[in-house]
Amino acid sequence: MSGNEPNPAATMARATPEPQPRPAKAADGKRVDHARSAKQFLNAPEHAKSHDTRVWAMRTKRDKQAHTIEEWEELRQLASDIKTHTLTHLDTYLEQFEANAKANGIHVHWAKDGAEHNRIIHEIFTDHGVKSVIKAKSMLMEECGFRHYMDGVGIEIVETDLGERIQQLDGEDPSHIVVPPVHKMRSDVARLFADKLGSDPENDDAHYLAGAQRDATRPLILDADAGMTGANFAVAETGGFVVCTNEGNADLSANVPNLHVASIGIEKLVPRVEDMGVFIRLLSRSALGSPITQYTSHFRGPKQGGEMHIVLVDNGRSKRLGMEKFWSSLKCIRCGACMNTCPVYRRSGGLSYGATYAGPLGLILNPTFDAHRYSNLPFASTLNGSCTNVCPVKINIHEQIFGWRQVLAENGHLPWTKKTGLAAAGKVLASPKGYRAAIKTTNSALKHLPRWAIYNRMNAWGEGREMPSPPDNGTFHDWYKRHRLNRDGASRNTSEN
Amino acid sequence: MSSRDDILGAVRSAKPGLDAPAPTVPNYDENYPADRAGLIDLFAERLTMMGGTWHALPEGQTVDDALQEALADKLGKTFDEAVIASNVPEVAGNRALTETDAPGSVHDVDIAVLRARFGVAETGSVAFSEAELTVNSIAYLAQHLVVLLDPAEIVTNLHRAYQRDDFVSANYTVFHTGPSATADIEGVLVRGAQGVRSLTVIPAPVQ
């Protein structure tokens, strides 16, 4: 465009950005309906397209990085083996970690579940008169409902990761474990920041918006009474832990206030410092397709004049460790590669899972927290196995998804339509005669029934899809009988097609 | 019983009874350049990929001159007005940096000049411990970071980096790879998220 003439197309596009889809959340005690929430997300086609494109771009960049490293597959095997070794000796490594951390002057606490985690940290904060806290992103703290708890006791928590801050300001859960607002478009962020931070609602430039948040958060960082981080890894040999970020926000949270509290899941252990070479080489390449995060920070003790606390959290992990088919899910390093490659996640958006963990990882982790609430999730998969193929620690994710379907069925957690449908299908498929009769009936039904009788809420397959038109010349079996069988039933060899 | 004992007990009885020894991790650096110059070039290339700036001093240029050349147009103020904190003998700076500074007090710094402990060619990373930072927060609250790196202290890859004893002796060790960055808004890469807006590495042997 020349001169100062407004571009009418651009103005119109800005005037009517597609509203952000907000899939409904299941009420307490209710089963998450992934398919319904996914449909609500897909009803916003611009958001759906943007999400798919961005998530797939991460997968593409991951491949490019992986292919530059000759030993990539060996690294995956090493990472998996190191985790197997650690998890089969986890009690020993936890004790070693605790002893070394204490020797370095770190206070170590243990929490059996989210409630105990929150209570312990509340006590630490009360002892230190903490009123405001800056915090780096932690999926464990999401699991524990930590921010919600702190809201209730009047302690202000400020997320310092840009993405997590966006989600906090919007009152929404993260939809991706690495990129929390990946489902949002820049127009959504512009509207949110205008409302919450007073930025220009007409300016949806990402640089402008990131700058507005930087300026708004900096004073909160300088004034905070305590800082919190999670941990990507904890090293038994040193009693230290490792945090990876791109923004440097974990380092700000840990290094500006005097008090640093870190929440660490007990499965984050690795035995030795040299193991970190394997995991750091894999982590960001698998996650975002960059060789390493901008910041890889190793904390082994409090800073000069500071105080450091670690809370080691179980929250269902020891139970999972005892599950023969599912314990290896504890190897997960939370890179998100399985989400980025998953055709269901890419098209349904993370919030449709209605759980702390979305995507393939979520399908195998969430049922361990609440089998009934998340009983639909293991069905949100085509079992294509792509998640397993990109997993940097070689978790057999798609096999575990299938395994969870079996467990949920055996324990009576399947919804009625799935249960009765699958039971009927099982009987029909077990009998060749019954199968042939069923196909004939179905084909005839598809030909003759009115649309309302086929496309209704009892037939999930018919939602968003047309049923196949039945062939005019009967079933394959009819055709085979006509063309391939002679009168006495023996097959004959012809060149007919 | 304490939660500690409960958790350890639960882990002990749940852990899979597999014989799974810890694997040996190879160094994977046979194919890195054998000569120093090659390793320096590789470091510079990888640093640039991650958004950092490699600034080799031309004949006769001082580190002070280099600061001006690299950053004068990025400060939003004149170079003479810039607050420069340095703990290296190569640069005097105009703001003192001492171990007793409160972490938040260094928020006024425009340019921090520090020396890295070592570098990693694979990723273009520079490593610091608390000894090189004086005040840990300086590396994040400063607007721009300038790092002196002794080319003799560049290791090939991360496996070699983690064999150094820094990680078992320092309370804080950090790899910086380019400046602070985010792509959280529609995947658009923004440099200068919460931490430094730029990272410049100057090769300079220890004097």
Side-chain angles (χ1 to χ4, degrees), chain A residues 228-250:
Chain A
M228 294 196 70
T229 66
N232 295 85
F233 306 94
V235 183
E237 178 185 33
T238 64
F241 55 98
V242 184
V243 185
C244 304
T245 75
N246 286 308
E247 301 184 25
N249 60 306

Side-chain angles (χ1 to χ4, degrees), chain B:
Chain B
M1 280 234 293
S2 67
S3 291
R4 174 191 186 275
D5 295 340
D6 284 349
I7 293 169
L8 286 172
V11 166
R12 207 164 283 133
S13 60
K15 64 179 181 179
L18 302 173
D19 179 29
T24 307
V25 179
N27 292 318
Y28 292 120
D29 67 346
E30 310 80 22
N31 297 328
Y32 277 74
D35 60 317
R36 198 44 45 188
L39 210 54
I40 295 169
D41 287 347
L42 182 63
F43 177 93
E45 179 202 314
R46 299 289 163 88
L47 167 71
T48 310
M49 262 172 53
M50 292 294 284
T53 306
W54 176 256
H55 186 108
L57 297 174
E59 188 68 33
Q61 191 181 55
T62 65
V63 178
D64 264 322
D65 297 339
L67 296 190
Q68 183 151 8
E69 188 187 310
L71 296 171
D73 60 346
K74 293 182 183 168
L75 296 170
K77 55 170 91 168
T78 69
F79 188 75
D80 290 337
E81 289 168 337
V83 177
I84 302 175
S86 163
N87 65 4
V88 300
E90 289 86 346
V91 174
N94 54 21
R95 187 203 194 284
L97 199 58
T98 60
E99 279 179 22
T100 50
D101 285 337
S105 70
V106 296
H107 73 94
D108 61 332
V109 173
D110 294 302
I111 303 173
V113 189
L114 309 167
R115 178 171 283 282
R117 202 168 179 88
F118 64 94
V120 186
E122 176 188 4
T123 49
S125 310
V126 287
F128 305 101
S129 75
E130 64 261 40
E132 290 76 35
L133 299 173
T134 307
V135 181
N136 292 352
S137 58
I138 186 71
Y140 311 95
L141 287 175
Q143 299 292 323
H144 300 274
L145 191 54
V146 176
V147 182
L148 306 186
L149 174 65
D150 188 338
E153 294 293 328
I154 298 176
V155 300
T156 51
N157 64 11
L158 287 164
H159 299 295
R160 292 292 189 185
Y162 280 110
Q163 288 163 15
R164 294 180 56 113
D165 61 8
D166 306 300
F167 300 92
V168 290
S169 55
N171 270 6
Y172 179 57
T173 314
V174 61
F175 295 131
H176 283 216
T177 312
S180 165
T182 180
D184 278 348
I185 300 175
E186 258 191 42
V188 179
L189 180 63
V190 178
R191 304 220 190 266
Q194 300 282 23
V196 299
R197 298 178 190 274
S198 77
L199 177 87
T200 306
V201 178
I202 299 176
V206 178
Q207 285 178 348

Side-chain angles (χ1 to χ4, degrees), chain A residues 79 94 115 118 124 127 169 198 228 237 308 337 339-340 354:
Chain A
L94 282 166
N118 297 342
I124 299 171
D127 287 348
L169 290 172
M228 294 196 70
E237 178 185 33
M308 185 182 279
M339 309 166 76
N340 300 342

Side-chain angles (χ1 to χ4, degrees), chain A residues 156-175:
Chain A
E156 190 196 6
I157 307 288
V158 175
E159 297 287 351
T160 52
D161 174 85
L162 169 62
E164 193 73 13
R165 182 66 172 159
I166 289 171
Q167 291 308 95
Q168 181 185 22
L169 290 172
D170 202 17
E172 216 177 36
D173 292 330
S175 79

